[in-house]
Amino acid sequence: MAVVGAGLGGLAAAARLAAGGHAVTVLEQSGRVGGKLGRYERDGHAFDTGPSLVTLPQVYRDLFAATGGSLDDAVDLVRLDPAVAYRFADGTRLTLPGSPSAIPGALADALGPAAGTEWTALMERAAAMWRISEEPFLRRPLQGAATLARLARRPADVATIAPWETLRGLGTRQLSDPRLRMLLDRYATYSGSDPRRAPAVLATVPYVEQEFGSWYVRGGLHRLALAVAERATARGAVIRTGSPVRRVLDDAGRAAGVELADGSRVPADVVVSGVDAAALYGDLLPAGGRARAARRDLARATPSLSGVVLLLALRGRTPGLAHHTVLFPADYDAEFDAVFSDGGNRSAPRPVADPTVYVSAPDDPALRPDEDSESWFVLVNAPRHDPGRGVDWDEPGLADRYAADLLAVLARRGLDVRDRLRWCQVRTPADLARDTGSVGGSIYGSSSNGTRAAFLRPANASPVPGLFLVGGSAHPGGGLPLVALSAEIVAGLVGPA
């Protein structure tokens, strides 16, 4: 069995399949495992370069238990409290506690009494959405009309999910404070989407984050990838880095292994692809054939947003800085207009002039050279790398100019670190595309924009017999818990040896 890509989805699939008795070889193009869950180190500063938050840790506890290990023995998980600090353009500051019972009071204190009551009602609705959708939509293979038919058997469930409603529409109806609606809108970006087009069921994202906690892995989240890789090798999987795959081999219409860039072949009766689905169907499989419908669905879906990252090595410490800080602009819609040019505006995609800024600044000695230093991961939403029709992030000077603009935005919003800066490493969507193979640097493959978006996302069982998909570009979607669930689904589809 061959697994293409040592991102977290591929590693989790390898661990489960090896535990099921399969002979598994993982083939990774880069020199290290982890995929988007990467790491960058320089001069004693260390950074996670992808996800900076673990939600639903039970999914990983299940993975480790199923492969003979213990998550808590492998990594040191820390529940964050406070979970996140928000700063709004009008000067309002909101610090959300890590305990769900304390959140209504914090909202009322910062935004007024109605905010706590309204958010509680919204989260009750989101909890009902979660109970209805978790098992059929997140833990089972996607089956198109059959999935909808299961939901439609209970009209009350359909009304709760409200597939015709957007996240923005839900927030407009249930939340009277524009700042609280802005906070809800942000959760659309967890799937790389526009809240004006993403489904209302994404209200489950803040519910899950608050109900089950926001978690950090001491030493950096990349350690989670290393721990999952260890589970895979402990069960007998072989991981080969520096082994880019050129194509999936075909034998009478069935996947039969892979061919590497050097021309060598790895025969396999099953191939599990953890690479971006657009790259799989566009580059690794022959044109036409059984994959034609999958290519058509991908062409109809809106690619997810990407991001520009600044890795900031700083002198000194910032008093009162939370682990996660979000700095909102005055005009959130202008950000989505810039990123999603097909969202009703006629202009081409462009770097966001006044973006929401996310700062992850773990107070973790393992990530800094000394106590008088900080290592910040700064992320802003951005359109993907698309030189032909959008932004060419490789344009000379663009990355450095935009990094300077973002440092100025930070300064205007109260976090001026320019005189503390040792160095800044910029990572653009073009860098993400090169490093991880995601087409254009789209973080989540396709977005959740549109009522049919979930059903355009590539299924875990491909149209090619013997070829399966895991990872953030496949069902059920992107993010640390969902890629692990994709691996669980695929392991169930393949079955034991």
Side-chain angles (χ1 to χ4, degrees), residues 276 304 306 383-386 393 428-430 432-433 437-443:
D276 187 288
S304 88
S306 188
R384 64 180 184 149
H385 178 58
D386 188 2
W393 286 103
T428 71
L432 182 63
S438 61
V439 177
S442 293
I443 297 175

Side-chain angles (χ1 to χ4, degrees), residues 4-25:
V4 184
L8 206 52
L11 292 172
R16 284 186 174 275
L17 292 166
H22 294 279
V24 179
T25 300

Side-chain angles (χ1 to χ4, degrees), residues 103-122 174-180:
I103 288 174
L107 290 169
D109 290 344
L111 306 179
T117 302
E118 291 173 356
W119 188 260
T120 297
L122 178 65
Q174 293 203 220
L175 305 173
S176 59
D177 192 299
R179 295 163 297 185
L180 200 54

Side-chain angles (χ1 to χ4, degrees), residues 424-450:
C424 169
Q425 177 71 29
V426 188
R427 294 172 56 85
T428 71
D431 296 318
L432 182 63
R434 280 187 288 268
D435 291 347
T436 68
S438 61
V439 177
S442 293
I443 297 175
Y444 306 96
S446 57
S447 71
S448 296
N449 291 349

